[in-house]
Amino acid sequence: MSGVEQRSDVQGIHSLADVVEHSELILTCGPGGVGKTTTAAALGVAAARSGRKVVVVTVDPARRLADALGLDDSAEADEPHLVPGVTKRATDGELWALMLDAEQTFDRLVREQAGSRKQADAVLNNPVYQAISGSLSGAQEYMAVERLHQLHVSGEWDLVIVDTPPSRHAIDLLEAPDRLVGFLSHPVYRALTVGQRTFAKITDAASSMFLWAVKRLAGPQIVEDTVQFFRSLANIEGGLRQRAKEVSRLLRGDRTSFVVVCSPRAEAVGEAEHLLDAIAAKHFPLGGLVVNLIHPLPDPLSDADVELLADIGEGPLAEQVEWHRELTRLATAERNELVALEKLAGDAPIVELPLLDVDIHDVPGLIGLAARLV
Ligand SMILES: Nc1ncnc2c1ncn2[C@@H]1O[C@H](COP(=O)(O)OP(=O)(O)OP(=O)(O)O)[C@@H](O)[C@H]1O
Ligand SMILES: [Mg+2]
């Protein structure tokens, strides 16, 4: 078996119901388009209906789902909103939702870490920051986990659920905090942030080549702005490093659960296998595997039925039988595709969610999905 850190080793977690009842942080991650955002929202519904006060951080939800969660394009979508219609019974908790805004999250982080308003403004008002914030590689992923940290330490929530940005590689989320530290340690960054005098003396080939190239491509002003930007960032560097470490620790805490979402498509399965390997190798706690969008396996025909149907010729009944065979073949092929993946999940709970013939875009749809998940 793999070295996956199972939640079941820690606190008797055997199902996704246990995960939503006992975790303080849940991250849904997986390949693109498999239902991560939908699963994050449905887990939130399940947790709220088990009495907890939950906030779900969604990233780029489909329009109609965003509407159902009470999130629109306004700036306040980045702050928690109470989702109506989820909790009705006295024993229910509350479901809140927000839409991740990477820029606002970073602005908040900079303001918190800066020693003064002036220091914060030096970073935030720099034209380079304004041009690159939100589009830095990995920034979305880092900001998703940063937002998780902000909400967790506020102490207001029993459970924070974070959805993963649609990225080319689901693994980016796991590496985001280390990547930030790596960036702060990069020789070019180090060379750019040393004091003015030292900077003038610097003969480091990498950074002078870099600046020469930038100057040629973009003109001297942008070089000046870039250098100023990195210098202003250097003032809060200690804070950023410290925070990246805390986030990294939080992601491995005993009340954190990663829920990997996947579909039975070969490409998605390959990526999910890679992700489960990385989760195990980097000691992140796996809370469960959700296999979404799977075709249900039809009940097999009995021997008597097979005999009866042996020579039915053509017609609607024959078409039904053919359809039954086709669906059985497809559903079986999907399950074969998943064998290795399910092994990698070790003892973590595995839940199959069928491919539904309707889109899940409203609260009743999420309540139905939550019931299937837990
Ligand atoms: N079990 C299901 N049956 C039918 N439709 C589903 C199911 N699960 C999710 N969907 C639909 O599939 C679409 C993609 O789902 P979702 O946005 O949750 O995926 P995602 O993994 O978050 O995608 P991205 O990687 O782009 O963020 C949505 O329209 C959603 O309603
Ligand atoms: Mg999504």
Side-chain angles (χ1 to χ4, degrees):
M1 208 197 72
S2 66
V4 173
E5 208 113 324
Q6 309 294 344
R7 291 295 68 185
S8 49
D9 302 342
V10 187
Q11 37 188 307
I13 279 184
H14 305 293
S15 66
L16 282 185
D18 295 334
V19 171
V20 298
E21 270 170 47
H22 300 291
S23 305
E24 287 174 6
L25 303 169
I26 295 178
L27 295 99
T28 58
C29 53
V34 295
K36 298 178 294 292
T37 304
T38 312
T39 302
L43 288 172
V45 167
R49 287 166 74 89
S50 77
R52 307 192 77 197
K53 187 176 175 196
V54 193
V55 61
V56 178
V57 179
T58 62
V59 185
D60 225 355
R63 177 82 250 168
R64 289 198 295 175
L65 180 64
D67 288 344
L69 296 175
L71 304 170
D72 52 26
D73 290 331
S74 70
E76 289 94 67
D78 183 50
E79 289 298 330
H81 284 58
L82 183 65
V83 181
V86 173
T87 48
K88 295 184 185 106
R89 300 163 299 194
T91 52
D92 284 346
E94 291 171 8
L95 177 65
W96 295 67
L98 62 91
M99 214 184 305
L100 178 73
D101 181 326
E103 280 181 53
Q104 286 198 34
T105 301
F106 192 58
D107 287 6
R108 217 179 280 119
L109 172 65
V110 169
R111 290 196 192 286
E112 193 188 306
Q113 298 296 332
S116 65
R117 177 108 192 234
K118 207 169 139 218
Q119 245 180 35
D121 288 344
V123 176
L124 300 175
N125 297 333
N126 185 289
V128 172
Y129 169 68
Q130 291 174 352
I132 63 175
S133 65
S135 63
L136 277 173
S137 122
Q140 276 259 324
E141 284 77 16
Y142 183 72
M143 291 311 147
V145 289
E146 168 60 31
R147 193 73 176 105
L148 174 148
H149 183 276
Q150 290 170 357
L151 291 162
H152 178 68
V153 299
S154 77
E156 273 182 60
W157 310 99
D158 298 329
L159 170 64
V160 182
I161 301 181
V162 176
D163 171 29
T164 330
S167 60
R168 279 182 310 124
H169 304 292
I171 206 166
D172 287 352
L173 182 82
L174 307 182
E175 292 174 349
D178 298 336
R179 223 183 283 122
L180 177 65
V181 173
F183 168 74
L184 297 173
S185 311
H186 194 279
V188 170
Y189 172 79
R190 304 257 31 115
L192 289 172
T193 52
V194 293
Q196 201 81 46
R197 280 243 204 95
T198 332
F199 186 71
K201 281 194 250 152
I202 268 195
T203 50
D204 176 78
S207 61
S208 46
M209 287 283 285
F210 169 78
L211 288 178
W212 177 80
V214 173
K215 231 178 221 165
R216 277 202 48 163
L217 290 169
Q221 184 56 43
I222 188 89
V223 174
E224 184 54 28
D225 289 341
T226 307
V227 170
Q228 284 311 329
F229 169 63
F230 287 121
R231 296 237 169 92
S232 61
L233 204 57
N235 293 322
I236 60 167
E237 184 189 321
L240 288 180
R241 274 177 190 275
Q242 181 57 31
R243 175 56 66 83
K245 272 198 203 125
E246 275 167 36
V247 168
S248 182
R249 209 171 23 241
L250 186 62
L251 292 183
R252 293 177 173 86
D254 350 309
R255 296 252 167 191
T256 299
S257 299
F258 281 77
V259 172
V260 173
V261 186
C262 185
S263 79
R265 274 188 21 247
E267 207 180 304
V269 172
E271 195 174 339
E273 285 177 356
H274 186 48
L275 183 61
L276 282 177
D277 273 338
I279 285 176
K282 291 170 186 285
H283 307 289
F284 290 106
L286 179 67
L289 171 65
V290 173
V291 178
N292 192 18
L293 307 170
I294 193 166
H295 286 90
L297 191 62
D299 289 333
L301 296 176
S302 69
D303 290 346
D305 287 342
V306 171
E307 212 166 291
L308 263 175
L309 294 168
D311 28 43
I312 47 172
E314 286 179 12
L317 185 57
E319 275 169 29
Q320 284 288 325
V321 174
E322 188 44 44
W323 177 83
H324 183 276
R325 279 203 193 104
E326 197 46 54
L327 187 60
T328 306
R329 261 196 296 273
L330 178 62
T332 310
E334 286 180 349
R335 279 157 185 79
N336 290 338
E337 192 72 61
L338 291 162
V339 173
L341 179 72
E342 297 190 348
K343 227 181 232 161
L344 281 179
D347 299 330
I350 301 174
V351 177
E352 288 184 0
L353 288 182
L355 172 68
L356 302 171
D357 50 12
V358 288
D359 231 28
I360 301 124
H361 59 262
D362 56 11
V363 167
L366 288 174
I367 292 176
L369 207 62
R372 289 175 189 268
L373 278 170
V374 302

